[in-house]
């Protein structure tokens, strides 16, 4: 169905799983067949970590069919604070002053009450958990 368009595969590293009833490797083979034809354009999304490396190495020909790789840095605490404030506002809520209009103060709270590892692993998902 994606022919002539874009196929976005989020959390693609899950396809490289090794479960007994796992059809991930079969799915990767099907994706590679479509990649040989060049249609559709495929975007494989995931974290820059060992799981993504496992996905790319799950089939010897997969990496050479991926023509562009884009790495995006994790959100900074200030960016996370701005995202959080937008989500709070969209839900119809407001923080009490002084946090309401001060993303820097919210970022400071995030820095004090989350670890660097939490922020790196959860990235934008951290604000959903709050």
């Amino acid at each position: 169905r994606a022919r002539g368009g874009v196929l976005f595969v989020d959390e693609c590293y899950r396809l490289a799983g090794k479960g007994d009833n796992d059809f991930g490797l079969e799915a990767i083979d099907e994706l590679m067949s479509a990649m040989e034809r060049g249609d559709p354009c495929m975007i494989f999304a995931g974290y820059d970590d060992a799981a993504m490396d496992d996905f790319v190495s799950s089939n010897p020909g997969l990496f050479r069919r991926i023509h562009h790789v884009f790495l995006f840095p994790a959100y900074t605490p200030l960016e996370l604070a701005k995202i959080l404030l937008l989500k709070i506002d969209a839900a119809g809520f407001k923080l009490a002053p002084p946090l309401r209009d001060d993303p820097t103060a919210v970022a400071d709270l995030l820095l004090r009450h989350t670890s660097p590892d939490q922020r790196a692993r959860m990235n934008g998902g951290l604000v959903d958990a709050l």
Side-chain angles (χ1 to χ4, degrees), residues 65-116:
R65 288 177 174 83
I66 298 173
H67 301 287
H68 303 285
V69 175
F70 301 95
L71 298 176
F72 299 97
Y75 290 114
T76 66
L78 182 59
E79 290 169 329
L80 289 170
K82 289 177 181 179
I83 293 168
L84 179 61
L85 290 172
L86 288 171
K87 286 186 172 245
I88 289 171
D89 186 57
F93 296 102
K94 298 278 184 216
L95 291 178
L99 297 177
R100 178 182 300 155
D101 301 315
D102 189 0
T104 304
V106 176
D108 183 52
L109 281 174
L110 289 172
L111 280 167
R112 285 189 285 140
H113 295 284
T114 62
S115 70

Side-chain angles (χ1 to χ4, degrees), residues 8-126:
F8 183 84
V9 185
D10 196 11
E11 298 184 4
C12 61
Y13 50 84
R14 292 175 146 209
L15 293 174
K18 308 272 192 287
D20 291 337
N21 293 322
D22 193 334
F23 296 99
L25 296 178
E26 207 173 309
I28 291 170
D29 288 342
E30 288 299 317
L31 291 170
M32 285 185 49
S33 293
M35 291 171 85
E36 287 176 10
R37 293 186 300 272
D39 186 27
C41 171
M42 293 188 195
I43 299 172
F44 299 110
Y47 295 101
D48 183 25
D49 61 10
M52 195 64 158
D53 292 341
D54 288 346
F55 167 71
V56 172
S57 63
S58 65
N59 186 302
L62 182 59
F63 185 74
R64 68 181 163 85
R65 288 177 174 83
I66 298 173
H67 301 287
H68 303 285
V69 175
F70 301 95
L71 298 176
F72 299 97
Y75 290 114
T76 66
L78 182 59
E79 290 169 329
L80 289 170
K82 289 177 181 179
I83 293 168
L84 179 61
L85 290 172
L86 288 171
K87 286 186 172 245
I88 289 171
D89 186 57
F93 296 102
K94 298 278 184 216
L95 291 178
L99 297 177
R100 178 182 300 155
D101 301 315
D102 189 0
T104 304
V106 176
D108 183 52
L109 281 174
L110 289 172
L111 280 167
R112 285 189 285 140
H113 295 284
T114 62
S115 70
D117 190 50
Q118 282 176 305
R119 292 189 301 275
R121 286 179 181 264
M122 295 179 78
N123 200 13
L126 178 68

